[in-house]
Amino acid sequence: MARRKYPRPLAIDLFRPLDRDGAVLLNDQLAERIEILVAHGRLKAGDYLPPLRLLARKLDVSVGTVARAYEAIRRRGLAIPHSTRGMRVARPDDRVVLSEGPGWGSLVSQPVAPTSPLDADIPRVQSTAVARFDISEPGSELMPAELVRRAFSRSIGDVDQLRYAPLTGSPIALGAIERYLRERAVALDGASLLLTSGTTQSLAIITRALLPPGGVVLTEHPTWHVALSVFGSAGARVVALPVDDNGLQVGSLADAVLRHNPAFLYVQPAFQNPTGLSLCPERRAELLALARKLHLVIVEDDFASELAYETPPPPLRGPAGVDVVIHMRSFAKLIAPALRVGAIVAPPQFASALRAAKHGLDPFVSALAQRVLAHCLADSGFERHVRGLAGELRHRWQALAGALAQRMPADVRWTTPQGGFCAWMQLPRGADAGQFIRETVTAGVGLVPGNLFCVDGSAWGAVRLAFGATSVEEIERGVEIMASILGSQDHIPRIAHRVPHAVAP
Ligand SMILES: Cc1ncc(COP(=O)(O)O)c(C=O)c1O
């Protein structure tokens, strides 16, 4: 490799000794130093960074320390790896396009313990907010209050509803859910059906049943933060595989399975929280074929497939997935989160382990709630409600997409969901979502930072836009506010503004 020359002032800053007595890790110090040199134009777009060994020698640190710093700046979109020439500073035309994946959702190749979302410091908007893009559920005005009221009054008369329900579920609810799932092409023959208190509990049960001590779970990157919590509290280590416009990048799966021998893969094939993206048909087929070949268990989280703007996608647990897919169904977004009834459909060999895990967590699902759900599903108003809800969500998405296209600066990008109520917005390169959200919240716009959904806290320049609890007027006003914060030069919260003093100008 040709020797690179760095201008003397730059070399002095780049190779200046790190602070060994402070609280900041050496790799974080180095990443921050490089960010600042880039932000000040001292390292220019297209410049190559020093080779790992050279920089390690100059700074008297390990190669691993430099590698971690380079990885951090790569994740932030500030540098791009080159297969033979090392790392170079990103150019404006190095697009961080969602469909390319690695720019924003990189393969986390070593299993890591998920950080707890409860520790995240997320600024909250007041109840009088202008727009709530932070609520990932349909607004209460979209919930089927009449349907639930009818179902409740049909259920409450029976005093038996005040007793404990059987472990696997009440017969009336099992019958209604079985019918409902069959109509939606979920493969049930020979399967075990277990009712739970919602998908959060389903996931905890499955994790407890399948995860060995110190075991690994594969997830999408980014993924639902509650799932990361469930895995973290069960002691799982997580390997996260990138998602792009066509859903999980299945190409990275075989390697991850062979290297980490995971207990299972957790995936949301339809309108994923937080990106709104879905697994395309080709990747579905590829995923199922790979799972069968590699003996990989797929845990499918179906919480929103019915909220498709056009035709709902089929479940992974169709005829081709019977032997490899454990299907979790939630009714929280279709009817109401307060109901707390969900279901697990699993290949029969998992039945007793799942029952045992449920018994150890909480053997009972409210009999009353099960009966209410059964009456809701049997009510002719249910289908009407779901179609109306999906139609309204499509209407809100169209309003959001239109407002984003009209108002956002050119370097802001977002996903295009085909259903559900989540989209993912990538801020301009170098922008800090935490700072951006602090500013939007002050102006009355609630958002959730992207790093909440990433096992390693990456995706720090992205936010989730949830639009199910926001009216069209609120959407338009909210986008206007976000765009004015991003568009105003003074307010673009670039990293260079965070620590401007650390490098001599
Ligand atoms: C990805 C995902 N799965 C499932 C659910 C529903 O979980 P539960 O049935 O426990 O309410 C949610 C709710 O936010 C979700 O985001």
Side-chain angles (χ1 to χ4, degrees):
M1 194 190 301
R3 263 194 119 70
R4 288 171 204 149
K5 285 257 187 307
Y6 297 92
R8 200 173 145 66
L10 172 62
I12 289 172
D13 271 333
L14 205 50
F15 302 144
R16 191 161 39 90
L18 296 166
D19 175 9
R20 289 167 187 277
D21 300 323
V24 182
L25 292 174
L26 295 177
N27 52 297
D28 290 341
Q29 287 183 44
L30 180 55
E32 187 133 307
R33 174 179 298 181
I34 294 170
E35 282 179 18
I36 293 162
L37 289 168
V38 171
H40 284 261
R42 309 276 302 282
L43 273 168
K44 298 197 173 24
D47 282 354
Y48 279 86
L49 297 176
L52 292 178
R53 279 179 208 292
L54 171 70
L55 191 51
R57 187 156 36 81
K58 295 276 189 192
L59 296 175
D60 192 21
V61 296
S62 73
V63 170
T65 298
V66 181
R68 279 193 292 281
Y70 279 13
E71 174 59 13
I73 58 166
R74 185 189 70 75
R75 284 220 203 94
R76 293 169 202 180
L78 292 172
I80 304 280
H82 182 279
S83 54
T84 56
R85 301 181 62 195
M87 194 73 101
R88 79 167 158 68
V89 179
R91 300 193 185 98
D93 58 352
D94 288 327
R95 301 183 317 147
V96 186
V97 179
L98 296 174
S99 62
E100 287 174 358
W104 67 293
S106 59
L107 173 69
V108 177
S109 56
Q110 284 311 312
V112 289
T115 48
S116 169
L118 294 180
D119 297 339
D121 173 23
I122 303 171
R124 309 263 173 211
V125 278
Q126 307 290 318
S127 52
T128 51
V130 179
R132 298 294 305 267
F133 294 121
D134 53 331
I135 302 176
S136 76
E137 63 185 270
S140 36
E141 76 284 3
L142 299 183
M143 287 180 192
E146 234 353 275
L147 179 76
V148 174
R149 209 169 285 137
R150 260 198 316 273
F152 222 94
S153 63
R154 282 178 191 149
S155 305
I156 198 74
D158 184 349
V159 78
D160 266 358
Q161 300 325 302
L162 306 181
R163 306 175 67 100
Y164 287 119
L167 176 73
T168 51
S170 308
I172 181 176
L174 282 168
I177 291 176
E178 216 176 292
R179 242 184 335 274
Y180 164 88
L181 291 171
R182 225 180 266 289
E183 283 165 13
R184 278 139 192 96
V186 177
L188 288 177
D189 294 336
S192 118
L193 175 60
L194 183 64
L195 299 200
T196 68
S197 305
T199 287
T200 310
Q201 196 198 42
S202 301
L203 202 51
I205 291 169
I206 293 167
T207 306
R208 190 175 268 209
L210 270 59
L211 185 80
V216 168
V217 172
L218 300 182
T219 68
E220 294 163 296
H221 179 78
T223 192
W224 186 31
H225 59 299
V226 175
L228 292 177
S229 254
V230 169
F231 302 145
S233 60
R237 292 173 308 138
V238 171
V239 172
L241 308 173
V243 170
D244 63 25
D245 285 349
N246 293 314
L248 177 76
Q249 291 185 3
V250 178
S252 52
L253 186 63
D255 182 48
V257 172
L258 296 173
R259 275 166 62 188
H260 302 295
N261 189 24
F264 57 85
L265 163 73
Y266 165 70
V267 65
Q268 303 168 50
F271 321 132
Q272 201 234 26
N273 180 4
T275 63
L277 296 169
S278 303
L279 201 56
C280 70
E282 295 73 26
R283 288 203 188 158
R284 283 167 172 266
E286 212 183 321
L287 174 60
L288 290 173
L290 259 177
R292 197 160 301 113
K293 186 167 153 200
L294 301 171
H295 302 287
L296 171 69
V297 177
I298 299 172
V299 175
E300 171 183 30
D301 181 347
D302 186 338
F303 72 111
S305 64
E306 283 199 71
L307 300 179
Y309 304 154
E310 301 293 337
T311 313
L316 275 179
R317 200 188 149 79
V322 273
D323 48 345
V324 284
V325 179
I326 299 180
H327 178 95
M328 302 187 297
R329 182 67 65 142
S330 169
F331 299 95
K333 314 294 169 166
L334 293 185
I335 301 177
L339 262 187
R340 308 314 303 146
V341 184
I344 303 175
V345 183
Q349 66 270 28
F350 297 116
S352 73
L354 292 173
R355 275 203 306 271
K358 181 168 191 314
H359 199 259
L361 277 167
D362 178 359
F364 308 110
V365 178
S366 155
L368 185 57
Q370 291 188 50
R371 188 165 277 253
V372 172
L373 176 66
H375 283 302
C376 283
L377 294 180
D379 193 307
S380 60
F382 174 70
E383 297 288 345
R384 229 181 5 262
H385 159 69
V386 173
R387 278 197 305 278
L389 176 58
E392 178 57 29
L393 292 174
R394 179 178 55 196
H395 179 54
R396 292 182 183 196
W397 163 245
Q398 285 167 345
L400 178 57
L404 291 171
Q406 188 189 351
R407 299 199 181 275
M408 279 294 161
D411 48 359
V412 174
R413 295 190 173 82
W414 52 90
T415 54
T416 301
Q418 305 294 324
F421 39 80
C422 292
W424 180 263
M425 185 166 80
Q426 187 75 44
L427 302 178
R429 190 189 299 284
D432 178 342
Q435 177 60 24
F436 173 61
I437 292 175
R438 274 188 284 283
E439 298 199 21
T440 65
V441 162
T442 306
V445 177
L447 286 166
V448 177
N451 59 2
L452 194 70
F453 306 95
C454 297
V455 66
D456 59 347
S458 55
W460 65 285
V463 295
R464 185 190 66 184
L465 285 174
F467 50 88
T470 320
S471 71
V472 167
E473 295 70 35
E474 289 163 349
I475 286 172
E476 285 169 355
R477 184 75 191 110
V479 172
E480 203 178 311
I481 290 172
M482 289 192 291
S484 84
I485 290 172
L486 284 172
S488 146
Q489 212 45 33
D490 290 345
H491 282 85
I492 294 182
R494 305 280 174 174
I495 37 95
H497 293 185
R498 274 196 300 159
V499 274
H501 53 274
V503 173

